[in-house]
Amino acid sequence: MAERSTAAVDVADNGDDQSLTAQADQSTADGVAKNQEQETDSDAAQENTGIDGPGKTPPPELHSGHKLARRYRLEECVTRLDGFSSWRAVDEKLRRAVGVHILPADHSRARSVLASARSSALLGDPRFVQVLDAVEEDDVVYVVHEWLPDATELTALLAAGPLEVYDAYQMASQISSAMAAAHREGLAHLRLNPNAVLRTSTGQWRIRGLAVNAALRGIDSDTPQRADTESIGALLYAALTQRWPYENDAYGLSGLPKDIGLIPPDQVRAGVHRGLSELAMRALANDGATASRHESPCTTPEELVKAIGEMPRIRPPEPAFTTPPDYQRTAYQQGSYGRPAPRPGARATQPVPVPPPPLQSRTGKALKWAVSALLIAALGLGSWQLADALIGQGSNADDTDKTQTTDGSDKSGPKDSVAEGKLLEIASATEFAPSGSGIKEDKVSLALDGEPGTAWITPQYHGYSNFGNLGPRKQGSGIIVDLGEVRTVTRLSIDFYRSGQTVEVLAGGADGSGTSDLNDYLARLTELEKTGKTLDERLEKPVETRFILVRITDLPPDTSANTYRGGISEIEIHGS
């Protein structure tokens, strides 16, 4: 095999790291495994090849308990290297764990780190660990990003052995697709290694450190697409073989034997899927290396996505079910209960006569006829009483109220529910945005225009039905209706853009303020549950309120099983 360049995939990067299994309370700056980005001086020296060179300013003096912007409380330093540090922290405003990268404002890489973080945040793709904030203040630059306590880094997964074929296929497919989307927006990773790839508890693969990790270390590339593609090939190679496809050991994996060059994964380990083996070689083939037996190299993530799509689809393994043991008849069922077991060598006894079925004797037959007669008499008496009651009820209804009717469409309201009331005028409506930023604020009026064909519709979210599992959408979204003044509400009628959304309706009370603070809506009008295309609810008791919140927490599938979208078509409030 031909020799090949390894500059783009950080061969010596973290060569002696000992990554740990993901823990909720022992996580990296991205919330996965403790100290997984901690590096030795020799590793750092080999990585400082960027155009800026290492920063000369010493890192700021920070300690556990220090607060940034009176909001982010630092908890534990997980990396301190080359003028910057990474911390596990707590966002005290939103009460959630976050990760923070910190470096001096006059550091030689501070400008590029800030620009990379802000560009990554604009991407908004849930397949990447999201950048939540990027700020320069008090002579310090810091980048705040998501914390994923439910995820496990690929390094920890490979410590237990190679991945299953389906898992390796899913990893390559999802990572390639995500990086292709990032490169279309002009973003590259350049440090795509087993420490940067995470698998969540739901089986989704996510990438952390897009653009930011490379900027922190001053890494640049003239061919970023080829560098990231080769990195994906190295990840797939390691997933199939539990070996790092270079001579150096890295990420807890042994490198390939020296002087043999790059050999396909199916020659390193028996039983490797041949299609995935060739795919890894096609991605790893740069600078003249042999790609695979027949196919040309892949030099961009887009080409890798296309190559994966041309492969025969690898299906998930069938769930294993254990066959239940054969049914064993008990000694009682076999008619030998209480009988001594035959002695060895004894002659077989005559079969025991089978008793007649129950109630087949003369006494049993007489008993059956008596019971039948009693049942017939009881049925006749019950029918006569029921008919008499129905006739009496009908005459009473005619005498007392001949104009009273029931609402056959109100399947939820009890008989003693309040009157429906008239259709109330809605003064205005706003989007429920607890994080401070909405998603389709200018389209809220479409849910109040009386046109069923128009709707306030959410964007399409990928991977997770709870609004992409994004931090700003932790409490969902929806619409806040303002009735203009305190009114008595008796009935709700809501049409949705699509059935299958998880929805609840809350009222803000007579003194509600109409803000996006969920704590302002304490009166529950409907339960939080999955609903159909229409929600029609007549309240058991009238509610005095001015503001009503229609809150959506979970979205139905959209164009595929991995995309989600919802919305509200019309909102009508009845009362007085």
Side-chain angles (χ1 to χ4, degrees), residues 153-163 194 235 238-240 242 251-253:
E153 63 174 8
L154 181 59
T155 309
L157 296 174
L158 294 180
L163 298 186
L235 294 173
L240 296 173
Q242 202 184 12
Y251 312 104
L253 303 173

Side-chain angles (χ1 to χ4, degrees), residues 409-423:
S409 64
D410 184 13
K411 63 180 181 180
S412 59
K415 293 181 181 179
D416 58 347
S417 60
V418 298
E420 176 179 326
K422 64 179 181 180
L423 180 63

Side-chain angles (χ1 to χ4, degrees), residues 511-564:
D511 57 348
S513 60
T515 67
S516 287
D517 186 350
L518 192 57
N519 294 324
D520 287 348
Y521 303 88
L522 301 179
R524 181 176 297 278
L525 305 186
T526 69
E527 295 297 326
L528 178 63
E529 59 186 2
K530 188 172 291 187
T531 186
K533 192 71 166 55
T534 301
L535 174 62
D536 196 345
E537 185 81 12
R538 182 179 293 181
L539 307 183
E540 295 184 12
K541 296 181 180 179
V543 176
E544 300 287 335
T545 186
R546 174 179 173 177
F547 299 99
I548 294 177
L549 167 60
V550 183
R551 176 172 172 249
I552 304 173
T553 63
D554 212 62
L555 304 174
D558 190 26
T559 55
S560 67
N562 203 37
T563 58
Y564 304 91

